Amino acid sequence: MTQRAPGFTLSPNPPQRALRLHRELARVWANDPGWRGQITAVNHTTLGLRFMGTALVFFVIGGVLAMLIRAQLATPAGAFLDTELYNQIFTMHGSIMMFLFAIPMLEGLGIYLLPKMLGTRDMAFPRLTAMGYWCYLFGGLIMLFALVAGVAPRDGWFMYTPLSGATHSPGINADIWLLGVTFVEISALAAAVEITVTILRQRPPGMTLTRMPLFAWYMLGTSAMMLVGFPPLILGSVLLEVERAFDWPFFEVARGGDPLLWQHLFWLFGHPEVYIIFLPAAGAISTILPVMCRTQIVGYGAIVAAILALVFLSFGLWVHHMFTVGIPHLALAFFSAASLAVAVPTAVQVFAWIGTMWKGRPEMHLPMLHIMGFFLTFVMGGLTGVMLAVVPFNWQAHDTAFVTAHLHYVLIGGFVFPMMAAASYWMPLISGRARIKGLGEAAFWIIVIGFHGTFFIMHLTGLIGMPRRIDIYPDNPEWMLPNLVSSLFGFVMSIGFALFVIDLALQAFLGPRTPRDPWRGQTLDWALLRPGPAYNFASLPAQPLLPGQPVTQVALSLARGEGLLPGAPRNQRELLVTDISTGKPQHIAVLPGNTALPLKLSAVIGVFVLLMLSGLYMLTPLALVGVAVLVWRWARELTTGQSHPPVPVAPGITLPVHHQWRTTLVFSGVVCLLVADGTLFGSLLFGLGFLTVVAPNWPAPAPLSAGMTEALLAVAVVAALALAALAARLGERALRRGGVLTLPIGAGLLANLLALALLTLLSVIALEDPTGHARDALRAALAAFVMLHGVIAAGFAGFVWWQGKCGELVPGRSGGLANWQLWQDFTAVTALIAAVVVIGQGWLA
């Protein structure tokens, strides 16, 4: 049947033998056999399951630590743990649950499901997905080994300064957190880039943005928040580690720093993280609920608007974690109002879900039970959040057990219950087996009873004055009974979670085989075999499932190759790339195959982290050289020295391979990376402005005066980088006209090298000792930012020059030119802004 997409018509391909297509695709897309396949796999199905399985292991570890905390607090003079070990355990509990369970779990769910829901064969950057997993695993193992060795972080999962500074926290405990979490965050940013590009560029031609599954909308909002939300924490972690390692005083009051800068940078990440965790869970609910109710979701447009509102509002709330630090009254009023306003888009979604249940006929299968647990728990957590948004109440409840209870109601109610619903809903797709009934329902009720018994009474414990983060309370016997009750119910809840894990294991290994689409789903993922093959679809769908369209009808058509881009006749991993807005097919992306390169690159980054932890700073350049070599190899594997014929997609439609297209998936990935990079740069400027205006001991004892020599050198650096940007454009123009490329590209490389030399000279002449004052430390940080980007720009230029020398750049095949141009423009603009800020600060001083 001819299928219509917006603005064009696609005819089906002639049917083929499904078994032949399956074997052809399986040969190309399958993981390597044996142990080698465990380290070379780049397939999204394998990696998504690894993310979720590893996150589940960390969840179990974090739960065991939670039970140790509850055992300690069950009595006023608990002798179960000493203070040092207790501090390490509660810090690791929070860090594991936030950074090693919640974020990786949502990443894994998105990586596993999105290509299946969107009708494509893999994520946009499979090797980046693999590298992200290994970074996550290695970073998590570093933190766990530190706990076993007794040197785990002990200053709370938010690492407030000055407690986490070198003076009050000697040793490597805090460094473990700063470097380990930053290592893990590489994985989060990689996933954010992956998810954003996959959703925007790999939808079927008929799946416009307004026809996307709601889960894709939720994941798009999540990835956008990760791109903007994680860089402030990365910057804060880097600044604090530099302060601890090299004595640059970003947070030390006596030398112009301010501990509140850390709080601002942390909560610029920390509060959006609540919604980063919530949105994928809400996406699972919006996908599962209409299926359980045998109807369509109510208020699709209103839910999308609510997602966008949450993404925007979540970045205006961070100060409500800091109401007690001396914020001006006007700011208190603004952030209090914003904290109340964010309840509106959340309520829109809740009422849409209630309307869906009212419209349909809910069937109380296990996923629906978990959704009911979500409603009961998350709404209560939201109400206590509104209470904490009111400044006078916040002053009373701040840093008490009330806040701990609110946090767990929001995170377990808003994330864990929906994730359990998602697990029970998609396990037939993952395992190909049905559930053994009975145990899952028992686990649900035990978890609900145990959770509310643990945390509901904790609200009362906080209201009668019990602070957070204490290990004994011998002078407050009135806290013993509520703590004992919380501890007892905490162990009940743990039993429930253990039964839930056992239920999953029984289903995966002993459950009966399930038919295709056991839930009568409404998304393309249910058109796959059980369990899904590595390639997902033998041919790609031209549009999403229509309301009421049988999944089996679509599945049969796609399996026979009647969709787009059938089979793998060229023995390549191919997928369709479409326009962001219209969905019109643009080109064919050829993905790399199985490789151990992501593992090697992650391992070398891990070596750099271990060298930093060991204090062997002089050896870290060796690790960075290793990173550069592997990145070069990574990029070289994407190049080609020959032109490829157009690929037939459907009758009468052929598309070029990505080598002959300028705005490739990699180009979109660089744009996403620069969004995160720009946020990090903006956070650095925020830190400079905050300390200049707010911090004590400013201006510096020896006021900066920007002399003419220093100003001229700064202008020369910017001019050299601008010339390199111009050279990139001239190189692209020469390529289009068939002219000589080596001259403009070589000029761009030389301009970058000149900028680096001038910046080094400027640093030697103009920068004062960065250990003397926070102003000088921040100026050095800005110079380091520009220098790092200049080095990468020079690397881009050298790579493109090498492509030209190898004959890989010809008209219609631009290689890395477009990506270099993007990076070079960003480097020149940020250098200009940094120069204006530093020179302007000197003149104003």
Side-chain angles (χ1 to χ4, degrees):
M1 182 178 67
T2 300
Q3 298 178 337
R4 291 189 176 274
F8 47 92
T9 302
L10 298 171
S11 299
N13 281 295
Q16 305 178 47
R17 290 185 58 193
L19 183 58
R20 184 186 68 80
L21 288 176
H22 168 73
R23 289 173 175 170
E24 181 181 275
L25 285 158
R27 183 180 67 254
V28 173
W29 287 86
N31 296 335
D32 292 332
W35 65 268
R36 180 175 174 77
Q38 301 303 312
I39 63 174
T40 61
V42 295
N43 182 267
H44 83 97
T45 298
T46 301
L47 293 170
L49 292 176
R50 283 185 185 176
F51 265 106
M52 291 189 285
T54 307
L56 184 60
V57 171
F58 280 118
F59 177 73
V60 171
I61 295 171
V64 171
L65 297 181
M67 291 304 95
L68 296 178
I69 294 171
R70 289 311 328 163
Q72 173 69 16
L73 294 177
T75 57
F80 187 67
L81 302 170
D82 61 37
T83 300
E84 172 68 15
L85 185 56
Y86 178 84
N87 288 342
Q88 291 188 24
I89 286 175
F90 86 71
T91 298
M92 284 295 295
H93 166 70
S95 301
I96 286 173
M97 291 304 195
M98 285 293 188
F99 299 107
L100 303 181
F101 163 62
I103 298 294
M105 179 63 78
L106 70 88
E107 293 171 20
L109 185 67
I111 289 168
Y112 179 82
L113 282 178
L114 280 172
K116 296 173 170 56
M117 279 191 176
L118 297 175
T120 187
R121 289 177 175 146
D122 208 334
M123 300 294 284
F125 310 111
R127 295 183 301 174
L128 189 62
T129 307
M131 190 198 79
Y133 173 74
W134 295 115
C135 287
Y136 160 51
L137 179 63
F138 294 159
L141 290 177
I142 288 173
M143 298 181 72
L144 286 185
F145 283 136
L147 179 62
V148 173
V151 291
R154 60 193 172 204
D155 305 313
W157 73 273
F158 27 70
M159 294 294 288
Y160 278 174
T161 55
L163 182 63
S164 58
T167 301
H168 301 284
S169 184
I172 66 169
N173 303 67
D175 302 302
I176 293 286
W177 192 96
L178 295 168
L179 293 168
V181 167
T182 302
F183 196 5
V184 171
E185 284 164 358
I186 296 174
S187 168
L189 285 179
V193 172
E194 278 270 30
I195 291 168
T196 303
V197 176
T198 299
I199 293 173
L200 293 179
R201 301 293 307 275
Q202 292 179 222
R203 305 189 311 276
M207 186 185 286
T208 60
L209 289 173
T210 56
R211 298 181 67 190
M212 280 201 311
L214 277 174
F215 183 80
W217 270 111
Y218 277 104
M219 290 305 302
L220 182 61
T222 300
S223 61
M225 294 174 68
M226 291 169 70
L227 288 174
V228 179
F230 276 89
L233 178 60
I234 293 174
L235 174 68
S237 300
V238 170
L239 295 184
L240 183 52
E241 179 60 25
V242 169
E243 177 177 290
R244 291 176 53 86
F246 305 113
D247 197 31
W248 293 18
F250 299 107
F251 308 104
E252 185 181 329
V253 174
R255 291 184 284 168
D258 194 332
L260 288 184
L261 175 59
W262 169 265
Q263 292 198 36
H264 279 291
L265 293 175
F266 182 87
W267 291 116
L268 274 168
F269 147 83
H271 197 83
E273 188 198 23
V274 174
Y275 299 98
I276 289 171
I277 292 171
F278 168 69
L279 284 182
I285 292 171
S286 294
T287 303
I288 299 168
L289 188 63
V291 176
M292 295 293 108
C293 296
R294 302 301 166 206
T295 187
Q296 298 295 313
I297 191 75
V298 170
Y300 177 99
I303 292 176
V304 171
I307 294 169
L308 298 177
L310 273 177
V311 171
F312 176 76
L313 290 173
S314 67
F315 288 98
L317 312 179
W318 82 93
V319 174
H320 86 204
H321 295 271
M322 303 168 59
F323 279 168
T324 60
V325 303
I327 301 295
H329 287 182
L330 182 62
L332 288 176
F334 171 83
F335 286 103
S336 179
S339 302
L340 294 170
V342 78
V344 175
T346 306
V348 167
Q349 296 169 81
V350 171
F351 281 110
W353 295 327
I354 293 173
T356 302
M357 290 188 289
W358 184 269
K359 175 185 175 184
R361 293 177 292 104
E363 299 178 1
M364 298 307 292
H365 300 292
L366 184 57
M368 192 66 186
L369 285 179
H370 287 301
I371 290 176
M372 291 296 101
F374 156 80
F375 279 119
L376 172 65
T377 308
F378 182 74
V379 171
M380 293 177 65
L383 292 175
T384 55
V386 172
M387 294 169 64
L388 288 169
V390 179
V391 175
F393 181 82
N394 186 287
W395 284 345
Q396 301 302 314
H398 184 76
D399 259 355
T400 68
F402 185 96
V403 178
T404 305
H406 159 71
L407 177 68
H408 285 82
Y409 264 84
V410 170
L411 295 182
I412 293 182
F415 184 73
V416 176
F417 276 110
M419 285 298 102
M420 291 190 292
S424 55
Y425 178 75
W426 275 295
M427 269 301 287
L429 175 62
I430 294 171
S431 66
R433 297 180 181 272
R435 195 172 58 83
I436 300 174
K437 294 185 178 180
L439 187 59
E441 288 79 0
F444 165 76
W445 287 111
I446 293 173
I447 291 171
V448 168
I449 294 169
F451 173 80
H452 289 279
T454 301
F455 292 105
F456 183 82
I457 198 170
M458 199 177 291
H459 292 100
L460 307 179
T461 313
L463 290 176
I464 60 176
M466 181 175 176
R468 304 164 70 183
R469 303 184 292 277
I470 61 170
D471 58 329
I472 56 173
Y473 47 96
D475 299 328
N476 298 93
E478 69 275 14
W479 298 343
M480 184 183 74
L481 180 59
N483 271 297
L484 180 60
V485 171
S486 289
S487 295
L488 291 175
F489 276 102
F491 282 96
V492 172
M493 178 174 60
S494 298
I495 294 171
F497 280 122
L499 292 177
F500 171 78
V501 174
I502 293 172
D503 183 51
L504 291 182
L506 290 176
Q507 178 175 354
F509 296 106
L510 300 177
R513 291 292 178 181
T514 181
R516 190 191 298 266
D517 191 23
W519 301 111
R520 289 176 287 165
Q522 301 174 2
T523 47
L524 286 169
D525 47 308
W526 295 110
L528 301 181
L529 299 173
R530 302 289 174 272
Y535 56 85
N536 290 341
F537 300 95
S539 59
L540 304 181
Q543 60 185 12
L545 281 178
L546 302 176
Q549 185 178 18
V551 168
T552 52
Q553 174 188 340
V554 176
L556 181 60
S557 172
L558 297 178
R560 294 186 306 196
E562 296 177 18
L564 309 177
L565 202 64
R570 288 158 294 279
N571 292 317
Q572 298 179 132
R573 299 188 179 191
E574 299 173 340
L575 49 82
L576 183 66
V577 181
T578 55
D579 181 75
I580 292 176
S581 57
T582 66
K584 184 177 180 179
Q586 288 185 332
H587 65 276
I588 302 301
V590 179
L591 302 183
N594 299 321
T595 174
L597 194 56
L599 173 61
K600 295 176 183 177
L601 182 55
S602 304
V604 176
I605 297 173
V607 170
F608 173 82
V609 171
L610 293 175
L611 289 173
M612 288 291 296
L613 286 173
S614 304
L616 301 175
Y617 307 124
M618 299 299 293
L619 297 179
T620 54
L622 297 177
L624 295 178
V625 169
V627 169
V629 170
L630 290 173
V631 169
W632 183 277
R633 282 188 55 195
W634 184 300
R636 288 298 299 163
E637 290 183 4
L638 295 174
T639 62
T640 182
Q642 58 184 356
S643 296
H644 298 267
V647 175
V649 175
I653 298 179
T654 59
L655 296 176
V657 177
H658 71 270
H659 302 294
Q660 282 105 283
W661 197 265
R662 184 179 187 275
T663 54
T664 62
L665 294 178
V666 175
F667 182 89
S668 299
V670 174
V671 171
C672 293
L673 181 61
L674 291 180
V675 169
D677 203 359
T679 305
L680 190 144
F681 181 68
S683 301
L684 184 56
L685 294 180
F686 166 81
L688 180 62
F690 175 80
L691 292 184
T692 302
V693 175
V694 175
N697 295 318
W698 278 70
L704 168 69
S705 58
M708 186 57 68
T709 303
E710 292 82 352
L712 289 175
L713 280 172
V715 171
V717 170
V718 174
L721 293 172
L723 285 174
L726 176 62
R729 282 172 166 74
L730 292 176
E732 194 166 25
R733 181 183 299 178
L735 181 65
R736 287 197 302 267
R737 297 177 177 178
V740 179
L741 294 175
T742 53
L743 182 60
I745 296 174
L749 175 59
L750 292 176
N752 276 309
L753 296 176
L754 175 62
L756 292 174
L758 291 170
L759 184 56
T760 303
L761 180 62
L762 175 64
S763 301
V764 172
I765 293 176
L767 290 187
E768 301 175 29
D769 182 7
T771 65
H773 193 270
R775 181 208 61 206
D776 305 317
L778 284 168
R779 293 179 69 222
L782 279 172
F785 181 92
V786 175
M787 175 135 346
L788 173 63
H789 286 71
V791 169
I792 297 174
F796 264 113
F799 181 81
V800 174
W801 180 84
W802 185 258
Q803 281 190 296
K805 187 175 183 298
C806 295
E808 297 170 359
L809 302 182
V810 296
R813 195 171 72 232
S814 60
L817 258 173
N819 303 325
W820 171 36
Q821 185 176 314
L822 270 178
W823 188 272
Q824 192 71 59
D825 290 347
F826 178 85
T827 302
V829 170
T830 52
L832 174 62
I833 295 172
V836 170
V837 168
V838 171
I839 294 173
Q841 185 190 41
W843 286 340
L844 290 175

